[in-house]
Amino acid sequence: MKREIPILITLVFGVFMIVQFFIPHPAVNDIANRLQNWAIIVISFSYVLGSANILRINGELVYRRAPGWPYKLVLVIAFFTMATPGLILGIAEGSWTNDRLFTFTYVPLASTMYASLAFYIASAAFRAFRVRTWQASVLAITALIVMLGRIPVSHFIWQDLPGIVDWIMGVPNAVAQRGILIGAALGAIATGLKVILGIERSYLGRE
Amino acid sequence: MEFFWISIAGLCTVAILSFLYSDNPLYKVAEHFFVGIAAGYVVCAEFYNVFLPNLWRPLTSGSDYWLIIPLILGIALFTRFSDELGWISRWPMSVIIGTYSGLAVIGFASGDMVLQVQASLIPVFEPATISTFSSEPSVLNFLQIFRNPLFTLGLICVLFYFFFSVEHKGGLRHIATTGTTLLMIGFGAGYGYTVMTRIALLFDRFYFLFVEWLKIAA
């Protein structure tokens, strides 16, 4: 009951997703689309579960006055600041929640967070890529060429530099990415089949 | 009013950038505010993009009563908070895992693997590249001569590096080493590209701070 039914559900849903590709009959497609829609709905509940979990953990920390509780309180307040008007007024373009709250809080916070990573990537890379082997130097030199080639004045450094960077991105980089993609695809197919057939059960957790 | 909101955005930007100096309370406030806002937005997005159109409206209009099943499964996810009933949450989890495992098998096979292999089946050598180089000699046209051979042989080397059924020694070691070198070029290119993207984002933030908000620069 606790393990067999979940494995059976996984098998049924997984097999239908595969079967719909090989049997493009409207009846099969209809069932598969229905099952897929069910999964999308369940996933939407999982997002709410995640948010509820954040609130539960941080709410508890605020209640217990744990170290750093004022920050947790900020988190809880921010959650309701976005969720309350969002659920009442909507989040579509033109709504107050989207045009004011989302655009002037979430957007600058997210883009600055990603932008500030530039400094940390650079310093972490300096430590990680310290030229120890010739292959590490290949990596460092390629990165340097790509960075130089992507600046607006790269053609002043050398007329052919932007073209060479495009060649690096289009040939050796594409070869490496393609090799990784093919390998990852094989791995994903094997893992997917193992999950559907009930060989891989780690997602069920402990007994 | 517009200046008020731009100032909020400006303060958010400054608060996050303050981490470059050191970990400080202003950054921590902004960090927690960001997580709260993001979690709140996710709930709203799921409510308007999935819950209402895919579940609530068809169910309340009576067009599809089968939707009661995902509704029950969705609610069952919350049993995860209970120690005794937590095992029930495995059922909705199985729906998610089963669906996406099936889609992954088909998606990766048809979308990634077959297409990538198909795109790699190109002539090992293209004579037209030599005539292009002869008529217009340049570094780029010279490199283009090696495009197809490098693509074909390079891909074999990269794939061989991931093939662990044979020990990489003797002559095979050189094939694997060539594969590693190409992977290093790929990682270097990916790294350089990522850094430049982040720097472009950073310039955008500085532009916002000094031009749009503080109006120091024109």
Side-chain angles (χ1 to χ4, degrees):
Chain A
M1 186 78 166
K2 288 183 180 176
R3 295 183 80 86
E4 286 74 15
I5 289 180
I7 290 169
L8 187 69
I9 294 172
T10 308
L11 181 74
V12 171
F13 275 76
V15 165
F16 252 103
M17 293 305 121
I18 296 172
V19 164
Q20 65 153 344
F21 183 80
F22 293 105
I23 308 172
H25 190 273
V28 178
N29 275 341
D30 184 49
I31 298 171
N33 287 339
R34 190 181 284 273
L35 295 181
Q36 211 169 319
N37 186 38
W38 289 8
I40 290 168
I41 292 167
V42 176
I43 286 172
S44 77
F45 275 91
S46 74
Y47 280 111
V48 179
L49 175 79
S51 297
N53 203 29
I54 289 176
L55 279 183
R56 191 176 65 101
I57 292 167
N58 288 283
E60 261 179 38
L61 291 173
V62 172
Y63 182 75
R64 285 195 285 111
R65 297 285 192 273
W69 69 269
Y71 301 121
K72 314 295 175 195
L73 185 63
V74 169
L75 192 153
V76 175
I77 291 170
F79 177 86
F80 287 110
T81 306
M82 177 57 93
T84 312
L87 290 173
I88 296 167
L89 304 170
I91 52 162
E93 225 168 286
S95 67
W96 181 84
T97 322
N98 181 73
D99 290 5
R100 290 282 178 253
L101 206 54
F102 182 78
T103 310
F104 290 105
T105 58
Y106 180 85
V107 173
L109 282 168
S111 52
T112 315
M113 195 74 89
Y114 285 117
S116 61
L117 284 178
F119 294 99
Y120 298 103
I121 290 176
S123 66
F126 178 74
R127 287 193 292 272
F129 303 161
R130 262 182 304 185
V131 184
R132 292 190 189 122
T133 62
W134 68 272
Q135 283 183 329
S137 0
V138 168
L139 192 153
I141 291 165
T142 311
L144 189 70
I145 293 171
V146 169
M147 282 191 274
L148 282 176
R150 288 287 171 197
I151 57 173
V153 291
S154 60
H155 61 283
F156 287 122
I157 299 170
W158 184 25
Q159 205 182 340
D160 284 336
L161 191 57
I164 287 170
V165 169
D166 285 341
W167 186 84
I168 290 172
M169 296 304 284
V171 184
N173 174 54
V175 168
Q177 301 301 334
R178 191 163 285 179
I180 293 168
L181 259 178
I182 293 172
L186 284 169
I189 293 165
T191 311
L193 286 173
K194 276 166 76 178
V195 168
I196 291 167
L197 297 173
I199 300 165
E200 168 64 49
R201 301 174 182 188
S202 55
Y203 67 94
L204 293 173
R206 282 170 289 170
E207 198 59 54
Chain B
M1 200 60 184
E2 192 70 16
F3 183 74
F4 167 77
W5 284 104
I6 291 178
S7 300
I8 296 278
L11 287 173
C12 289
T13 306
V14 171
I16 296 291
L17 287 176
S18 71
F19 187 71
L20 296 175
Y21 175 67
S22 73
D23 195 5
N24 61 77
L26 186 65
Y27 172 77
K28 278 182 179 163
V29 167
E31 186 189 28
H32 285 80
F33 186 72
F34 178 48
V35 175
I37 286 280
Y41 188 77
V42 163
V43 171
C44 299
E46 291 302 316
F47 181 75
Y48 282 104
N49 298 334
V50 181
F51 185 80
L52 283 184
N54 291 23
L55 178 70
W56 190 250
R57 284 186 196 129
L59 200 60
T60 49
S61 66
S63 59
D64 190 358
Y65 285 116
W66 285 103
L67 288 173
I68 201 85
I69 298 171
L71 176 66
I72 293 167
L73 285 169
I75 293 167
L77 264 178
F78 289 84
T79 58
R80 209 161 183 82
F81 290 131
S82 160
D83 290 335
E84 288 161 16
L85 299 173
W87 58 273
I88 297 174
S89 68
R90 287 175 184 170
W91 295 8
M93 278 302 290
S94 306
V95 171
I96 300 171
I97 300 284
T99 306
Y100 284 95
S101 296
L103 289 175
V105 170
I106 294 301
F108 277 106
S110 63
D112 272 356
M113 202 181 72
V114 173
L115 286 180
Q116 295 293 336
V117 172
Q118 203 173 19
S120 308
L121 299 174
I122 51 172
V124 180
F125 186 68
E126 215 174 322
T129 51
I130 292 190
S131 52
T132 310
F133 177 67
S134 317
S135 57
E136 291 172 50
S138 70
V139 178
L140 198 60
N141 284 340
F142 177 71
L143 288 173
Q144 288 295 355
I145 296 171
F146 300 100
R147 185 186 169 89
N148 283 17
L150 191 64
F151 223 112
T152 312
L153 300 173
L155 187 61
I156 293 168
C157 294
V158 170
L159 287 175
F160 182 78
Y161 173 72
F162 291 114
F163 185 67
F164 298 112
S165 300
V166 176
E167 200 177 342
H168 296 170
K169 64 179 182 183
L172 297 176
R173 188 170 58 88
H174 298 296
I175 299 175
T177 309
T178 311
T180 325
T181 310
L182 283 164
L183 281 170
M184 287 298 173
I185 293 174
F187 293 143
Y191 166 74
Y193 197 74
T194 309
V195 168
M196 292 315 286
T197 312
R198 297 292 160 93
I199 285 177
L201 259 175
L202 193 66
F203 275 121
D204 179 64
R205 293 326 298 162
F206 283 136
Y207 180 85
F208 167 76
L209 278 181
F210 295 115
V211 179
E212 289 179 23
W213 184 36
L214 300 173
K215 299 191 191 302
I216 292 172

